[in-house]
Amino acid sequence: MDGLLAGVDLCDEYTQINCPEEEKLWTVPTVICRNKNADEWYVGEEAYAHTLKGDGIIVDKLLNLALRDGTATLGGVRYEGKELLFLFLERILKLPAQEYQKGKPEYLVIAVKRLEPRLNRMLREIALRLGIPKEQVQIVSHSEGFIYYTLSQKKEVWNNTVGMFDLSEVGLRYYEMKVQRGMKKVMVVAEYEDLEEGVNLDVLKKPSGGHLADRILTSCAERMMAHKAYSAVFLTGKGFLNQDWAENLMKYLCSRRKVYIEQGIFARGAACRAQEGAQENPSFTCICDGRLKTTVSMKVLHRGQETDVTVAAAGDCWYDRVSVIDVIPDRQNTVDFVVTSMDSRKKKLISIPLEGFPKRPDRTTRVQIQVMFLDERTMEVTLRDHGFGELFPASNALIRQEVML
């Protein structure tokens, strides 16, 4: 693709934008302002300036407002939160377009702190309104952005465990990533933990608060990182813009480890994901927030040969994955699934009885199976009786069951 590829880190406090192979990073406060006297809109620092000037009305926390179906009244007009988020994204995406003299993004990846189906649908609808086709839009988690950013670095950075502390205005989160080799395809696993030992960034402005924060984070690091071999540790977030307060933490982290202080990791990772998405050639399987950690399959007889049909594979985006399969049970009154762990050694059989389905001779019932996922660990299976032609018309029999993977 010759068009613009963009990665966006969308948070309530700030939004960051990066393009693949470009160093420039835009950081824009996630706020929007409407001029009191005209239909003019401003975002980020410009929004703050017009509000201070007195000719603008500002709205912040746009992501939260949109997710809870909130509204805001500006200039006597009530706007839905989703509309304000659209107006905000429309304007910030003009920044790289103008910088690189290109139009709207041809491929857009938005990274968010935590994925959920409703947020995924909302952001895809906004992207479609922006003129970006749904097949050229990806919504990923911060964990996935961390993976893609890290793997874009030299191999010595990620050849062992990689850790990352993200200290932002909303709290402290620890990420951990590891590359698992020796399989058919390289698998990269990332997990995170929100740490209760949060630090209010305002306390870092005072020496006493900085010393307290240093002790808290050093204790966290010792607990989270003990007895592990790290090739690198990243520090990101507003709290690490200055490290003068973190003397003991830095001393501990820098002991036999490479430590990198980098801002914009999630936006840069999203940009790397945009580049790979445009090439449509994934080089590894990603296991993290927003992706399945197990493979779900069925054993079926096809043209006289027993074969495995994959319903969903480890690494698939669970919020997008919907499978529909028609089967004809042969001397059985259940539909069976095999759930396989990432290393293929642990397998679990799940059987769903066809209770309430009409009693018919063998191989005269066609069952439509629809599989979707409510989260990484919960599968929803819907079984419908489709009968068997004119001899055995379809009934209204339906089974819907949630299955823990």
Side-chain angles (χ1 to χ4, degrees), residues 228-244:
K228 296 177 185 176
Y230 285 81
S231 52
V233 178
F234 287 94
L235 302 177
T236 192
K238 189 175 180 180
F240 290 116
L241 285 173
N242 184 312
Q243 307 89 47
D244 292 345

Side-chain angles (χ1 to χ4, degrees), residues 88-289:
F88 173 78
L89 287 171
E90 181 183 43
R91 280 153 180 77
I92 66 165
L93 286 173
K94 290 178 181 177
L95 297 174
Q98 293 169 353
E99 175 77 14
Y100 305 119
Q101 298 183 348
K102 295 183 178 181
K104 64 178 183 296
E106 275 194 52
Y107 205 99
L108 173 66
V109 176
I110 301 176
V112 293
K113 196 171 184 71
R114 176 157 178 80
L115 272 172
E116 53 182 277
R118 190 162 174 269
L119 176 59
N120 174 57
R121 289 193 298 270
M122 181 179 69
L123 292 177
R124 286 177 180 273
E125 288 170 6
I126 289 175
L128 193 60
R129 285 186 63 190
L130 293 170
I132 308 170
K134 62 180 181 180
E135 62 272 10
Q136 291 166 215
V137 177
Q138 286 291 327
I139 316 300
V140 304
S141 64
H142 274 183
S143 299
E144 189 164 339
F146 171 46
I147 287 175
Y148 272 89
Y149 172 79
T150 305
L151 292 185
S152 71
Q153 308 303 304
K154 294 179 180 179
K155 188 175 180 179
E156 55 261 31
V157 172
W158 48 263
N159 59 357
N160 276 319
T161 300
V162 181
M164 181 173 72
F165 288 93
D166 176 20
L167 180 58
S168 67
E169 293 172 335
V170 295
L172 174 64
R173 179 180 278 192
Y174 173 71
Y175 293 83
E176 197 165 277
M177 185 201 102
K178 197 161 190 176
V179 177
Q180 297 185 356
R181 303 176 182 85
M183 303 178 187
K184 291 181 180 178
K185 193 173 186 179
V186 173
M187 191 172 289
V188 186
V189 181
E191 298 177 319
Y192 73 84
E193 182 178 337
D194 288 315
L195 301 176
E196 294 180 1
E197 301 91 333
V199 175
N200 187 321
L201 299 190
D202 288 337
V203 308
L204 301 181
K205 299 174 183 177
K206 298 180 180 179
S208 59
H211 292 319
L212 176 62
D214 189 20
R215 287 201 302 272
I216 291 173
L217 265 71
T218 302
S219 175
C220 286
E222 290 172 346
R223 174 169 59 86
M224 303 300 296
M225 302 174 65
H227 312 300
K228 296 177 185 176
Y230 285 81
S231 52
V233 178
F234 287 94
L235 302 177
T236 192
K238 189 175 180 180
F240 290 116
L241 285 173
N242 184 312
Q243 307 89 47
D244 292 345
W245 58 270
E247 181 180 352
N248 292 316
L249 174 65
M250 298 303 294
K251 188 181 298 183
Y252 174 77
L253 292 179
C254 292
S255 175
R256 301 189 303 276
R257 304 181 190 93
K258 295 177 181 177
V259 177
Y260 301 90
I261 300 166
E262 184 68 70
Q263 297 299 316
I265 282 179
F266 305 121
R268 296 182 194 279
C272 295
R273 175 68 181 87
Q275 189 172 39
E276 181 160 297
Q279 295 171 350
E280 297 182 353
N281 184 29
S283 56
F284 58 90
T285 298
C286 202
I287 306 292
C288 62
D289 179 29

Side-chain angles (χ1 to χ4, degrees), residues 330-348:
D330 184 8
R331 295 188 297 277
Q332 66 181 75
N333 56 4
T334 62
V335 171
D336 300 331
F337 298 93
V338 178
V339 181
T340 308
S341 64
M342 290 184 291
D343 61 7
S344 302
R345 287 178 288 187
K346 295 180 181 179
K347 294 190 178 185
K348 180 170 70 172

